[in-house]
Amino acid sequence: MKHLLYLKELNQRTISKLLAKAETFLSTNNFPPPQDKNLQGITLANLFLEPSTRTRSSFQIAAKRLGADVLNIDEQHSSRTKGETIIDTIRTLEAMGVNYFVVRHKERGILSKIVTNVDLGSHVINGGESVDSHPTQGLLDLLTIKKHKKRFDQIKVAIVGDIKHSRVARSLAEGLATMAVKTLTLIAPEEFKPDMKFYPNAEHCKNLDQGLVNADVVVALRVQRERIESLTETISPDHYFEKYGLTMKRLEPCNDDVIVMHPGPMNRGVEISDEVADGANSVIREQITNGIAIRMALLSMMQAEVMK
Ligand code: CP
């Protein structure tokens, strides 16, 4: 675990260790005792070349709670605007003693390129790459599911919405496969159906009511307008909510103790109603808190390897 680029790189034992470590942080409200602050003297840089609220802030909080210094590089005001490559930016920061780099980038494969160009002592963490990968979101989603459902091999997870453009869905599916989830159902219109080769253990269903039958976990996804090339009637703002928007009525086929998740940011009234987003089944705010714990667990375990 020197770097983390894709969730499929982690085996079940490592994911279980990360979840257990994150639960210890949650038990102290994400304020670790002094002996757990193993990032003192370390500097982490957040390099987010796409917008972020949750991921960037939670890495900042997680690293600081473990004793690290944190740099948030603001792309608009950095020398990237003068043509510097991301790799030269990272090399520059390495020369200042930065040890950890959390990178969000729209280019497919850029994280692998970065890893082959960094110093031996540097760590690279994927904060969201293209539509392909968002491993720490996948881990925080697994943590949230585990806290409520205890085990993965007896539950049905339904992911609903714009799966085609979702790195969150890809990473969560990779993690669920490793944790041997019983059933993973992808509910999406044809326009949002992903390439199923990336979801070998999942089934696709176009009909929301059918797909939600006996679901234990429902993950709603944002309609990613910025990545959609052309709108059809089904996915147009006027029709989408009617067919795929989550309301309390639409949740009726699920099991009674279903939990509803959403990685954020939410488009209320598009993929999810207020009553579901803020209702008794929603664990959306909890996901955000869990995001700090899992990023603390990741950083802490990576640094523990260095100190061995
Ligand atoms: N879930 C997620 O990645 O949110 P941000 O884009 O706000 O980081």
Side-chain angles (χ1 to χ4, degrees), residues 30-91:
N30 290 336
F31 284 94
Q35 67 270 21
D36 276 0
K37 295 187 175 186
N38 68 343
L39 262 72
Q40 267 152 12
I42 295 296
T43 305
L44 176 144
N46 273 324
L47 285 157
F48 279 65
L49 279 60
E50 282 188 322
S52 170
T53 298
R54 280 147 283 266
T55 312
R56 190 170 92 145
S57 308
S58 59
F59 265 111
Q60 178 171 2
I61 292 169
K64 284 189 161 188
R65 297 257 170 100
L66 293 168
D69 295 318
V70 178
L71 290 174
N72 285 312
I73 305 299
D74 176 2
E75 202 203 2
Q76 305 300 321
H77 296 97
S78 76
S79 287
R80 296 252 319 133
T81 58
K82 299 178 221 166
E84 186 171 73
T85 66
I86 180 86
I87 288 167
D88 279 335
T89 301
I90 288 174
R91 284 188 175 140

Short mmCIF file of all heavy atoms in Angstrom, two decimals, residues 30-91:
data_model
loop_
_atom_site.label_atom_id
_atom_site.label_comp_id
_atom_site.label_asym_id
_atom_site.label_seq_id
_atom_site.Cartn_x
_atom_site.Cartn_y
_atom_site.Cartn_z
N ASN A 30 -13.25 10.67 15.37
CA ASN A 30 -12.20 11.05 14.42
C ASN A 30 -11.15 11.98 15.02
O ASN A 30 -10.46 12.70 14.29
CB ASN A 30 -12.80 11.68 13.15
CG ASN A 30 -13.53 10.66 12.29
OD1 ASN A 30 -13.24 9.46 12.37
ND2 ASN A 30 -14.45 11.11 11.46
N PHE A 31 -11.01 11.95 16.35
CA PHE A 31 -9.89 12.64 17.01
C PHE A 31 -9.02 11.56 17.62
O PHE A 31 -9.38 11.00 18.67
CB PHE A 31 -10.40 13.61 18.09
CG PHE A 31 -10.97 14.88 17.53
CD1 PHE A 31 -12.33 14.99 17.28
CD2 PHE A 31 -10.14 15.96 17.20
CE1 PHE A 31 -12.87 16.15 16.74
CE2 PHE A 31 -10.68 17.12 16.66
CZ PHE A 31 -12.03 17.22 16.43
N PRO A 32 -7.89 11.22 16.99
CA PRO A 32 -7.11 10.08 17.49
C PRO A 32 -6.33 10.44 18.76
O PRO A 32 -5.96 11.60 18.95
CB PRO A 32 -6.14 9.80 16.33
CG PRO A 32 -6.00 11.09 15.62
CD PRO A 32 -7.29 11.83 15.79
N PRO A 33 -6.06 9.43 19.61
CA PRO A 33 -5.20 9.68 20.76
C PRO A 33 -3.78 9.99 20.28
O PRO A 33 -3.41 9.61 19.16
CB PRO A 33 -5.25 8.35 21.53
CG PRO A 33 -5.68 7.34 20.53
CD PRO A 33 -6.50 8.04 19.50
N PRO A 34 -2.96 10.67 21.12
CA PRO A 34 -1.62 11.11 20.68
C PRO A 34 -0.78 10.00 20.06
O PRO A 34 -0.08 10.22 19.08
CB PRO A 34 -0.99 11.64 21.96
CG PRO A 34 -2.14 11.98 22.85
CD PRO A 34 -3.27 11.07 22.49
N GLN A 35 -0.86 8.78 20.62
CA GLN A 35 -0.01 7.69 20.09
C GLN A 35 -0.39 7.27 18.68
O GLN A 35 0.38 6.60 18.00
CB GLN A 35 -0.02 6.47 21.04
CG GLN A 35 -1.33 5.72 21.18
CD GLN A 35 -2.22 6.28 22.30
OE1 GLN A 35 -2.06 7.43 22.73
NE2 GLN A 35 -3.16 5.47 22.76
N ASP A 36 -1.57 7.67 18.20
CA ASP A 36 -1.99 7.32 16.83
C ASP A 36 -1.67 8.41 15.81
O ASP A 36 -1.99 8.29 14.64
CB ASP A 36 -3.51 7.04 16.81
CG ASP A 36 -3.82 5.61 17.21
OD1 ASP A 36 -2.86 4.87 17.51
OD2 ASP A 36 -5.01 5.25 17.25
N LYS A 37 -1.04 9.50 16.27
CA LYS A 37 -0.74 10.61 15.34
C LYS A 37 0.60 10.34 14.68
O LYS A 37 1.62 10.95 15.02
CB LYS A 37 -0.73 11.93 16.09
CG LYS A 37 -2.08 12.30 16.66
CD LYS A 37 -2.02 13.70 17.24
CE LYS A 37 -3.41 14.11 17.69
NZ LYS A 37 -3.48 15.49 18.13
N ASN A 38 0.60 9.42 13.73
CA ASN A 38 1.88 8.97 13.17
C ASN A 38 2.29 9.73 11.90
O ASN A 38 3.19 9.31 11.19
CB ASN A 38 1.89 7.45 12.92
CG ASN A 38 0.93 7.02 11.83
OD1 ASN A 38 0.04 7.77 11.45
ND2 ASN A 38 1.12 5.82 11.31
N LEU A 39 1.62 10.86 11.61
CA LEU A 39 2.02 11.65 10.43
C LEU A 39 2.74 12.94 10.81
O LEU A 39 2.87 13.85 9.98
CB LEU A 39 0.81 11.95 9.53
CG LEU A 39 0.66 11.00 8.33
CD1 LEU A 39 0.22 9.62 8.77
CD2 LEU A 39 -0.31 11.53 7.29
N GLN A 40 3.23 12.99 12.06
CA GLN A 40 3.95 14.21 12.45
C GLN A 40 5.24 14.33 11.64
O GLN A 40 5.94 13.34 11.43
CB GLN A 40 4.24 14.19 13.96
CG GLN A 40 3.12 14.90 14.71
CD GLN A 40 2.92 14.42 16.13
OE1 GLN A 40 3.74 13.70 16.66
NE2 GLN A 40 1.81 14.81 16.72
N GLY A 41 5.51 15.52 11.13
CA GLY A 41 6.70 15.74 10.29
C GLY A 41 6.46 15.43 8.83
O GLY A 41 7.35 15.58 8.00
N ILE A 42 5.25 15.00 8.50
CA ILE A 42 4.88 14.64 7.12
C ILE A 42 4.08 15.79 6.50
O ILE A 42 3.34 16.47 7.20
CB ILE A 42 4.02 13.35 7.15
CG1 ILE A 42 4.84 12.16 7.67
CG2 ILE A 42 3.37 13.04 5.81
CD1 ILE A 42 5.98 11.76 6.81
N THR A 43 4.23 15.97 5.18
CA THR A 43 3.40 16.97 4.49
C THR A 43 2.62 16.30 3.37
O THR A 43 3.18 15.51 2.60
CB THR A 43 4.28 18.10 3.90
OG1 THR A 43 5.07 18.66 4.95
CG2 THR A 43 3.42 19.20 3.29
N LEU A 44 1.33 16.62 3.32
CA LEU A 44 0.44 16.08 2.28
C LEU A 44 -0.02 17.24 1.41
O LEU A 44 -0.37 18.31 1.92
CB LEU A 44 -0.75 15.38 2.93
CG LEU A 44 -1.86 14.83 2.01
CD1 LEU A 44 -2.41 13.51 2.58
CD2 LEU A 44 -3.01 15.83 1.84
N ALA A 45 0.01 17.03 0.09
CA ALA A 45 -0.51 18.05 -0.85
C ALA A 45 -1.77 17.54 -1.53
O ALA A 45 -1.79 16.41 -2.04
CB ALA A 45 0.55 18.40 -1.89
N ASN A 46 -2.80 18.35 -1.50
CA ASN A 46 -4.02 18.08 -2.26
C ASN A 46 -3.91 18.76 -3.61
O ASN A 46 -3.80 19.99 -3.68
CB ASN A 46 -5.23 18.66 -1.52
CG ASN A 46 -5.81 17.70 -0.50
OD1 ASN A 46 -5.84 16.49 -0.71
ND2 ASN A 46 -6.29 18.25 0.62
N LEU A 47 -3.90 17.96 -4.68
CA LEU A 47 -3.84 18.51 -6.05
C LEU A 47 -5.12 18.12 -6.76
O LEU A 47 -5.21 17.07 -7.39
CB LEU A 47 -2.64 17.90 -6.79
CG LEU A 47 -1.26 18.41 -6.41
CD1 LEU A 47 -0.21 17.39 -6.76
CD2 LEU A 47 -0.99 19.70 -7.16
N PHE A 48 -6.12 18.97 -6.65
CA PHE A 48 -7.43 18.66 -7.23
C PHE A 48 -7.63 19.48 -8.49
O PHE A 48 -7.86 20.69 -8.41
CB PHE A 48 -8.54 18.89 -6.19
CG PHE A 48 -8.68 17.74 -5.24
CD1 PHE A 48 -7.66 17.41 -4.36
CD2 PHE A 48 -9.82 16.95 -5.24
CE1 PHE A 48 -7.77 16.32 -3.50
CE2 PHE A 48 -9.95 15.86 -4.39
CZ PHE A 48 -8.92 15.55 -3.52
N LEU A 49 -7.53 18.80 -9.63
CA LEU A 49 -7.68 19.49 -10.92
C LEU A 49 -9.11 19.39 -11.45
O LEU A 49 -9.37 19.69 -12.61
CB LEU A 49 -6.66 18.94 -11.93
CG LEU A 49 -5.26 19.55 -11.79
CD1 LEU A 49 -4.63 19.31 -10.43
CD2 LEU A 49 -4.33 19.03 -12.85
N GLU A 50 -10.01 18.91 -10.61
CA GLU A 50 -11.45 18.97 -10.83
C GLU A 50 -12.05 19.40 -9.49
O GLU A 50 -11.45 19.16 -8.44
CB GLU A 50 -12.01 17.59 -11.22
CG GLU A 50 -11.78 17.18 -12.64
CD GLU A 50 -12.55 15.89 -12.98
OE1 GLU A 50 -12.64 14.99 -12.12
OE2 GLU A 50 -13.06 15.81 -14.11
N PRO A 51 -13.25 19.99 -9.51
CA PRO A 51 -13.81 20.50 -8.25
C PRO A 51 -14.05 19.39 -7.22
O PRO A 51 -14.30 18.24 -7.58
CB PRO A 51 -15.14 21.12 -8.68
CG PRO A 51 -15.04 21.31 -10.15
CD PRO A 51 -14.11 20.28 -10.67
N SER A 52 -13.99 19.76 -5.96
CA SER A 52 -14.27 18.82 -4.87
C SER A 52 -14.59 19.60 -3.61
O SER A 52 -13.95 20.62 -3.33
CB SER A 52 -13.05 17.93 -4.61
OG SER A 52 -13.22 17.18 -3.42
N THR A 53 -15.53 19.11 -2.85
CA THR A 53 -15.75 19.61 -1.48
C THR A 53 -15.38 18.52 -0.49
O THR A 53 -14.50 18.69 0.36
CB THR A 53 -17.23 20.03 -1.27
OG1 THR A 53 -17.51 21.10 -2.18
CG2 THR A 53 -17.47 20.51 0.15
N ARG A 54 -16.05 17.35 -0.61
CA ARG A 54 -15.90 16.29 0.38
C ARG A 54 -14.50 15.66 0.40
O ARG A 54 -13.86 15.56 1.44
CB ARG A 54 -16.91 15.15 0.11
CG ARG A 54 -18.28 15.44 0.62
CD ARG A 54 -19.32 14.80 -0.28
NE ARG A 54 -19.42 15.64 -1.46
CZ ARG A 54 -20.33 16.61 -1.58
NH1 ARG A 54 -21.23 16.78 -0.67
NH2 ARG A 54 -20.34 17.40 -2.63
N THR A 55 -14.02 15.23 -0.76
CA THR A 55 -12.78 14.45 -0.79
C THR A 55 -11.60 15.31 -0.35
O THR A 55 -10.80 14.92 0.50
CB THR A 55 -12.54 13.89 -2.20
OG1 THR A 55 -13.76 13.30 -2.65
CG2 THR A 55 -11.44 12.86 -2.22
N ARG A 56 -11.51 16.50 -0.92
CA ARG A 56 -10.38 17.38 -0.60
C ARG A 56 -10.40 17.78 0.88
O ARG A 56 -9.40 17.68 1.57
CB ARG A 56 -10.41 18.62 -1.49
CG ARG A 56 -9.15 19.44 -1.37
CD ARG A 56 -9.09 20.52 -2.43
NE ARG A 56 -9.68 21.74 -1.91
CZ ARG A 56 -9.24 22.96 -2.22
NH1 ARG A 56 -8.22 23.11 -3.04
NH2 ARG A 56 -9.82 24.02 -1.74
N SER A 57 -11.57 18.21 1.37
CA SER A 57 -11.65 18.64 2.77
C SER A 57 -11.37 17.49 3.72
O SER A 57 -10.71 17.66 4.74
CB SER A 57 -13.04 19.20 3.09
OG SER A 57 -13.39 20.17 2.16
N SER A 58 -11.89 16.31 3.38
CA SER A 58 -11.71 15.21 4.34
C SER A 58 -10.27 14.72 4.35
O SER A 58 -9.77 14.30 5.41
CB SER A 58 -12.70 14.08 4.10
OG SER A 58 -12.55 13.56 2.83
N PHE A 59 -9.57 14.76 3.23
CA PHE A 59 -8.13 14.43 3.26
C PHE A 59 -7.38 15.47 4.11
O PHE A 59 -6.46 15.13 4.86
CB PHE A 59 -7.53 14.36 1.85
CG PHE A 59 -7.50 12.95 1.31
CD1 PHE A 59 -8.32 12.58 0.26
CD2 PHE A 59 -6.66 11.99 1.86
CE1 PHE A 59 -8.30 11.28 -0.23
CE2 PHE A 59 -6.64 10.69 1.38
CZ PHE A 59 -7.46 10.33 0.33
N GLN A 60 -7.79 16.73 3.98
CA GLN A 60 -7.12 17.77 4.76
C GLN A 60 -7.34 17.54 6.26
O GLN A 60 -6.39 17.56 7.05
CB GLN A 60 -7.68 19.14 4.35
CG GLN A 60 -7.06 20.28 5.16
CD GLN A 60 -7.44 21.65 4.62
OE1 GLN A 60 -8.20 21.77 3.67
NE2 GLN A 60 -6.90 22.68 5.22
N ILE A 61 -8.59 17.29 6.63
CA ILE A 61 -8.89 17.07 8.06
C ILE A 61 -8.19 15.80 8.55
O ILE A 61 -7.56 15.80 9.61
CB ILE A 61 -10.42 16.98 8.27
CG1 ILE A 61 -11.06 18.35 8.00
CG2 ILE A 61 -10.75 16.50 9.67
CD1 ILE A 61 -12.58 18.33 7.91
N ALA A 62 -8.27 14.73 7.76
CA ALA A 62 -7.68 13.44 8.17
C ALA A 62 -6.18 13.60 8.40
O ALA A 62 -5.64 13.16 9.43
CB ALA A 62 -7.95 12.38 7.11
N ALA A 63 -5.48 14.22 7.45
CA ALA A 63 -4.03 14.35 7.57
C ALA A 63 -3.65 15.22 8.76
O ALA A 63 -2.75 14.90 9.53
CB ALA A 63 -3.46 14.93 6.27
N LYS A 64 -4.40 16.31 8.96
CA LYS A 64 -4.09 17.20 10.09
C LYS A 64 -4.34 16.51 11.43
O LYS A 64 -3.58 16.68 12.38
CB LYS A 64 -4.94 18.47 10.01
CG LYS A 64 -4.43 19.45 8.96
CD LYS A 64 -5.15 20.77 9.07
CE LYS A 64 -4.34 21.85 8.37
NZ LYS A 64 -4.88 23.18 8.60
N ARG A 65 -5.42 15.73 11.50
CA ARG A 65 -5.72 15.05 12.77
C ARG A 65 -4.62 14.04 13.12
O ARG A 65 -4.41 13.70 14.27
CB ARG A 65 -7.06 14.32 12.68
CG ARG A 65 -8.24 15.26 12.46
CD ARG A 65 -9.03 15.49 13.73
NE ARG A 65 -9.99 16.56 13.54
CZ ARG A 65 -11.29 16.39 13.29
NH1 ARG A 65 -11.78 15.17 13.21
NH2 ARG A 65 -12.09 17.43 13.14
N LEU A 66 -3.91 13.55 12.09
CA LEU A 66 -2.82 12.59 12.34
C LEU A 66 -1.48 13.30 12.53
O LEU A 66 -0.45 12.66 12.65
CB LEU A 66 -2.73 11.60 11.17
CG LEU A 66 -3.92 10.64 11.02
CD1 LEU A 66 -3.86 9.90 9.70
CD2 LEU A 66 -3.96 9.64 12.18
N GLY A 67 -1.51 14.62 12.50
CA GLY A 67 -0.30 15.38 12.81
C GLY A 67 0.44 15.94 11.61
O GLY A 67 1.50 16.56 11.76
N ALA A 68 -0.07 15.74 10.38
CA ALA A 68 0.64 16.19 9.17
C ALA A 68 0.39 17.68 8.90
O ALA A 68 -0.56 18.28 9.40
CB ALA A 68 0.18 15.38 7.96
N ASP A 69 1.27 18.26 8.08
CA ASP A 69 1.00 19.57 7.48
C ASP A 69 0.31 19.32 6.14
O ASP A 69 0.59 18.31 5.48
CB ASP A 69 2.31 20.34 7.24
CG ASP A 69 3.01 20.68 8.54
OD1 ASP A 69 2.31 21.09 9.49
OD2 ASP A 69 4.24 20.52 8.60
N VAL A 70 -0.55 20.25 5.74
CA VAL A 70 -1.32 20.05 4.49
C VAL A 70 -1.21 21.27 3.60
O VAL A 70 -1.32 22.41 4.07
CB VAL A 70 -2.81 19.77 4.80
CG1 VAL A 70 -3.61 19.61 3.50
CG2 VAL A 70 -2.96 18.52 5.65
N LEU A 71 -0.96 21.02 2.31
CA LEU A 71 -0.98 22.09 1.30
C LEU A 71 -2.15 21.83 0.36
O LEU A 71 -2.28 20.73 -0.18
CB LEU A 71 0.28 22.02 0.42
CG LEU A 71 1.62 22.39 1.00
CD1 LEU A 71 2.71 22.10 -0.04
CD2 LEU A 71 1.64 23.86 1.36
N ASN A 72 -3.00 22.83 0.17
CA ASN A 72 -4.05 22.72 -0.85
C ASN A 72 -3.62 23.55 -2.04
O ASN A 72 -3.56 24.78 -1.94
CB ASN A 72 -5.39 23.24 -0.31
CG ASN A 72 -6.02 22.25 0.64
OD1 ASN A 72 -6.12 21.06 0.34
ND2 ASN A 72 -6.44 22.73 1.80
N ILE A 73 -3.28 22.90 -3.14
CA ILE A 73 -2.83 23.64 -4.32
C ILE A 73 -4.05 24.09 -5.11
O ILE A 73 -4.85 23.26 -5.55
CB ILE A 73 -1.91 22.76 -5.21
CG1 ILE A 73 -0.72 22.23 -4.38
CG2 ILE A 73 -1.42 23.55 -6.42
CD1 ILE A 73 0.20 23.26 -3.78
N ASP A 74 -4.18 25.39 -5.25
CA ASP A 74 -5.31 25.96 -5.98
C ASP A 74 -4.87 26.10 -7.45
O ASP A 74 -4.07 26.98 -7.77
CB ASP A 74 -5.66 27.32 -5.35
CG ASP A 74 -6.75 28.03 -6.11
OD1 ASP A 74 -7.26 27.47 -7.10
OD2 ASP A 74 -7.08 29.16 -5.71
N GLU A 75 -5.39 25.22 -8.28
CA GLU A 75 -4.91 25.16 -9.67
C GLU A 75 -5.00 26.51 -10.38
O GLU A 75 -4.09 26.91 -11.09
CB GLU A 75 -5.68 24.10 -10.45
CG GLU A 75 -4.88 23.65 -11.65
CD GLU A 75 -5.70 23.05 -12.77
OE1 GLU A 75 -6.94 23.00 -12.67
OE2 GLU A 75 -5.09 22.65 -13.77
N GLN A 76 -6.09 27.21 -10.18
CA GLN A 76 -6.32 28.48 -10.88
C GLN A 76 -5.23 29.52 -10.57
O GLN A 76 -4.97 30.42 -11.36
CB GLN A 76 -7.67 29.10 -10.50
CG GLN A 76 -8.87 28.20 -10.71
CD GLN A 76 -9.01 27.79 -12.17
OE1 GLN A 76 -8.78 28.59 -13.07
NE2 GLN A 76 -9.35 26.54 -12.41
N HIS A 77 -4.63 29.39 -9.38
CA HIS A 77 -3.61 30.37 -8.98
C HIS A 77 -2.23 29.73 -8.87
O HIS A 77 -1.35 30.23 -8.18
CB HIS A 77 -4.01 31.03 -7.64
CG HIS A 77 -5.26 31.83 -7.75
ND1 HIS A 77 -6.49 31.31 -7.40
CD2 HIS A 77 -5.48 33.07 -8.25
CE1 HIS A 77 -7.41 32.23 -7.65
NE2 HIS A 77 -6.83 33.30 -8.17
N SER A 78 -2.05 28.59 -9.53
CA SER A 78 -0.75 27.91 -9.47
C SER A 78 -0.04 28.07 -10.81
O SER A 78 -0.62 28.56 -11.79
CB SER A 78 -0.95 26.41 -9.19
OG SER A 78 -1.39 25.76 -10.38
N SER A 79 1.21 27.64 -10.87
CA SER A 79 1.97 27.74 -12.12
C SER A 79 1.52 26.75 -13.17
O SER A 79 2.05 26.73 -14.29
CB SER A 79 3.47 27.59 -11.84
OG SER A 79 3.93 28.76 -11.21
N ARG A 80 0.51 25.93 -12.84
CA ARG A 80 -0.13 25.09 -13.87
C ARG A 80 -0.74 25.99 -14.95
O ARG A 80 -0.77 25.61 -16.11
CB ARG A 80 -1.24 24.24 -13.24
CG ARG A 80 -0.72 23.24 -12.23
CD ARG A 80 -0.76 21.80 -12.69
NE ARG A 80 -1.97 21.48 -13.39
CZ ARG A 80 -2.02 20.81 -14.55
NH1 ARG A 80 -0.91 20.42 -15.13
NH2 ARG A 80 -3.17 20.54 -15.12
N THR A 81 -1.20 27.18 -14.56
CA THR A 81 -1.80 28.10 -15.54
C THR A 81 -0.76 28.63 -16.52
O THR A 81 -1.10 29.19 -17.56
CB THR A 81 -2.49 29.30 -14.86
OG1 THR A 81 -1.52 29.97 -14.07
CG2 THR A 81 -3.66 28.87 -13.98
N LYS A 82 0.54 28.47 -16.18
CA LYS A 82 1.62 28.91 -17.09
C LYS A 82 2.15 27.74 -17.91
O LYS A 82 3.19 27.84 -18.55
CB LYS A 82 2.75 29.55 -16.29
CG LYS A 82 2.33 30.76 -15.49
CD LYS A 82 3.52 31.30 -14.70
CE LYS A 82 3.11 31.71 -13.29
NZ LYS A 82 4.27 31.90 -12.42
N GLY A 83 1.49 26.60 -17.82
CA GLY A 83 1.85 25.47 -18.68
C GLY A 83 2.63 24.37 -17.99
O GLY A 83 3.06 23.41 -18.63
N GLU A 84 2.84 24.47 -16.67
CA GLU A 84 3.59 23.42 -15.98
C GLU A 84 2.78 22.12 -15.97
O GLU A 84 1.58 22.14 -15.72
CB GLU A 84 3.87 23.87 -14.54
CG GLU A 84 4.77 22.93 -13.77
CD GLU A 84 5.20 23.53 -12.43
OE1 GLU A 84 4.35 23.60 -11.53
OE2 GLU A 84 6.37 23.95 -12.32
N THR A 85 3.45 20.99 -16.21
CA THR A 85 2.74 19.71 -16.19
C THR A 85 2.49 19.29 -14.74
O THR A 85 3.18 19.73 -13.83
CB THR A 85 3.56 18.58 -16.87
OG1 THR A 85 4.73 18.35 -16.06
CG2 THR A 85 3.97 18.95 -18.29
N ILE A 86 1.54 18.39 -14.58
CA ILE A 86 1.23 17.90 -13.22
C ILE A 86 2.46 17.20 -12.63
O ILE A 86 2.75 17.32 -11.43
CB ILE A 86 -0.01 16.97 -13.23
CG1 ILE A 86 -0.36 16.45 -11.84
CG2 ILE A 86 0.12 15.80 -14.15
CD1 ILE A 86 -1.22 17.34 -11.04
N ILE A 87 3.22 16.52 -13.49
CA ILE A 87 4.40 15.81 -12.98
C ILE A 87 5.47 16.81 -12.52
O ILE A 87 6.08 16.64 -11.46
CB ILE A 87 4.92 14.80 -14.03
CG1 ILE A 87 3.93 13.64 -14.10
CG2 ILE A 87 6.32 14.28 -13.68
CD1 ILE A 87 4.07 12.71 -15.27
N ASP A 88 5.66 17.89 -13.27
CA ASP A 88 6.63 18.91 -12.82
C ASP A 88 6.15 19.61 -11.55
O ASP A 88 6.96 19.96 -10.68
CB ASP A 88 6.88 19.94 -13.93
CG ASP A 88 7.89 19.41 -14.96
OD1 ASP A 88 8.71 18.54 -14.60
OD2 ASP A 88 7.84 19.86 -16.12
N THR A 89 4.84 19.79 -11.42
CA THR A 89 4.32 20.38 -10.18
C THR A 89 4.63 19.47 -9.00
O THR A 89 5.10 19.92 -7.95
CB THR A 89 2.79 20.59 -10.28
OG1 THR A 89 2.51 21.45 -11.38
CG2 THR A 89 2.22 21.21 -9.02
N ILE A 90 4.42 18.17 -9.19
CA ILE A 90 4.68 17.22 -8.10
C ILE A 90 6.17 17.17 -7.77
O ILE A 90 6.57 17.19 -6.60
CB ILE A 90 4.12 15.82 -8.46
CG1 ILE A 90 2.59 15.88 -8.38
CG2 ILE A 90 4.68 14.73 -7.55
CD1 ILE A 90 1.86 14.63 -8.84
N ARG A 91 7.02 17.18 -8.81
CA ARG A 91 8.47 17.17 -8.55
C ARG A 91 8.89 18.42 -7.77
O ARG A 91 9.77 18.37 -6.92
CB ARG A 91 9.23 17.10 -9.87
CG ARG A 91 9.21 15.71 -10.47
CD ARG A 91 10.12 15.68 -11.66
NE ARG A 91 10.23 14.35 -12.19
CZ ARG A 91 10.27 14.08 -13.49
NH1 ARG A 91 10.20 15.06 -14.38
NH2 ARG A 91 10.40 12.84 -13.91
#
